[in-house]
């Protein structure tokens, strides 16, 4: 039994947290290859603050006539399936929606998404924790793809923002690929960074073989790379200009169901960190945005519709 509308948090005229509104949206039926998910948890990510602030509207990347959806990743339960879908109603799943210019998002009671990008949440993992994995776990995995294998004799990787959501995954995932990782983070984050198997620093000098820029230091991060090294950033379209023969890339995170399944399994086993700061009602999205904007929050605010 479904209701004819569901609640979603959106911005009409972006202007910071105060512009977030909860509205009623018509329920849509899933088409071929799609499922409708009843969302149980949707994290607040830095990109959502930028969308609500109007950064991407100002850049011409969002042109919605009525409203812009908020939220990128989620966990929940399949409530309806379209033709050709091999997931049963009731299955717990997590996933990711991407792209800036959309009138829907995961800050909502429901979402219709392609089944192919979803992963089943392992039994031992709660949905709030699972919801924090897709965007930043996949971003990190895809950053490590861009880094590739370390060149012979050149495996020293600096991860900036190593205590953040992206950096906290890059540190362990890059070690799997053979990188020797040092995390740049705040002094109070030393225990976390060492806990994911990385060396730790609060200040550093140039000369790294590669930098994965989870803190979005941009030019300051690039300056830390040795001549001929590699830089992978998190702000596609705003990459720092290359210099000194450095390879410059930026990740554009995309859904990948099988990869997400692996990340969720490693989160359930405790091998990867699961970091929830607080679970708050969807109605408190604006307050959660204000709290995140102050900085220093470790683990995600997770909205519960
Ligand atoms: N392109 C993509 O597809 C993609 C995907 C996911 C994320 N992103 C972007 O990646 C960035 C990171 O996201 P996130 O969710 O990981 O953010 P986050 O959880 O806020 O992590 C950023 C971390 O960097 C730290 N930091 C900032 N400046 C620092 C400095 N000078 N020295 C040491 N640490 C510093 C922050 O500490 P404080 O909190 O103490 O400042 C925080 O721990 C954001 O810009 C996000 O939008 C991009």
């Amino acid at each position: 039994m479904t209701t004819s509308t569901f609640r979603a948090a959106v911005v009409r005229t972006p202007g910071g947290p105060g512009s977030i509104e909860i509205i009623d949206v018509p329920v849509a039926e899933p088409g071929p290859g799609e499922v409708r998910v009843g969302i149980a948890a949707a994290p607040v990510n830095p990109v959502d603050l930028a969308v609500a602030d109007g950064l991407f509207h100002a850049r011409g990347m969002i042109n919605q006539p009525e409203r812009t959806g908020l939220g990128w990743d989620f966990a929940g339960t399949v409530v309806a399936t379209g033709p050709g879908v091999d997931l049963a109603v009731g299955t717990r799943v997590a996933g990711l929606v991407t792209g800036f210019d959309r009138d829907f998002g995961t800050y909502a009671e429901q979402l219709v998404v392609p089944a192919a990008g979803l992963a089943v949440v392992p039994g031992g993992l709660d949905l709030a924790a699972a919801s924090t994995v897709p965007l930043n776990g996949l971003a990190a995995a895809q950053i490590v793809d861009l880094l590739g294998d370390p060149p012979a004799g050149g495996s020293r990787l600096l991860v900036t923002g190593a205590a953040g959501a992206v950096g906290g995954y890059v540190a362990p995932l890059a070690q799997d690929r053979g990188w020797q990782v040092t995390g740049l983070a705040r002094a109070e984050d030393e225990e976390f960074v060492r806990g994911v198997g990385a060396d730790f620093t609060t200040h550093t000098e140039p000369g790294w073989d590669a930098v994965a820029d989870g803190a979005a230091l941009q030019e300051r991060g690039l300056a830390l790379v040795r001549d001929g090294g590699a830089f992978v950033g998190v702000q596609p379209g705003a990459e720092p200009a290359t210099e000194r023969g450095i390879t410059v890339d930026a990740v554009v995170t995309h859904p990948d169901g099988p990869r997400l399944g692996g990340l969720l399994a490693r989160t359930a086993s405790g091998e990867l960190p699961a970091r929830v700061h607080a679970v708050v009602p969807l109605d408190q999205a604006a307050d959660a945005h204000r709290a995140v904007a102050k900085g220093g929050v470790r683990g995600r605010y997770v909205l519960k519709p």
Side-chain angles (χ1 to χ4, degrees):
M1 179 70 189
T2 56
T3 54
S4 56
T5 63
F6 65 93
R7 293 162 66 246
V10 302
V11 289
R12 286 191 235 254
T13 306
S19 63
I20 299 174
E21 296 174 58
I22 309 285
I23 64 169
D24 291 320
V25 180
V27 168
E29 292 308 319
E34 292 181 335
V35 299
R36 189 166 69 234
V37 177
I39 296 177
V44 174
N45 288 294
V47 64
D48 300 311
L49 275 66
V51 171
D53 279 344
L55 176 74
F56 303 107
H57 294 76
R59 287 185 185 168
M61 294 163 65
I62 297 179
N63 294 295
Q64 288 299 314
E66 284 181 22
R67 60 174 191 265
T68 305
L70 293 168
W72 289 59
D73 45 2
F74 64 93
T77 303
V78 174
V79 292
T81 59
V85 170
D86 195 17
L87 279 172
V89 167
T91 306
R92 299 186 331 144
V93 293
L96 167 69
V97 294
T98 56
F100 292 92
D101 196 15
R102 48 182 160 83
D103 66 0
F104 64 93
T106 64
Y107 287 16
E109 291 175 323
Q110 298 189 355
L111 183 70
V112 173
V113 278
L118 301 179
V120 174
V121 175
L125 191 60
D126 73 69
L127 291 175
S131 76
T132 67
V133 177
L135 177 62
N136 299 303
L138 287 171
Q142 292 164 11
I143 285 170
V144 174
D145 290 346
L146 290 169
L147 285 169
D149 293 327
S155 65
R156 293 176 66 248
L157 170 68
L158 181 73
V159 178
T160 73
V166 173
Y169 288 116
V170 174
L173 297 179
Q175 291 171 72
D176 295 346
R177 193 86 186 238
W179 290 93
Q180 185 195 331
V181 176
T182 298
L184 174 73
R186 311 290 185 193
E188 57 271 28
D189 295 318
E190 178 165 1
E191 186 180 344
F192 172 82
V193 173
R194 292 199 188 281
V196 292
D199 288 336
F200 171 81
T201 185
T202 55
H203 295 94
T204 186
E205 299 297 323
W208 296 90
D209 296 311
V211 167
D213 193 25
L217 302 182
Q218 299 283 82
E219 283 76 9
R220 285 181 296 145
L222 184 74
L224 298 171
V225 183
R226 69 162 165 82
D227 295 0
F231 173 91
V232 180
V234 290
Q235 300 196 338
E239 295 90 340
T242 186
E243 59 183 38
R244 299 180 287 112
I246 295 167
T247 305
V248 174
D249 272 308
V251 70
V252 181
T253 305
H254 53 270
D256 182 336
R259 198 89 175 270
L260 176 57
L263 292 165
L264 289 167
R266 293 177 70 179
T267 307
S269 72
E271 199 187 325
L272 291 176
R275 295 190 294 161
V276 174
H277 174 75
V279 178
V280 299
L282 179 64
D283 293 354
Q284 292 175 22
D287 289 338
H289 273 221
R290 289 186 188 98
V292 173
K294 289 183 185 152
V297 175
R298 296 294 179 266
R300 290 280 104 119
Y301 273 88
V302 172
L303 302 175
K304 184 177 167 54

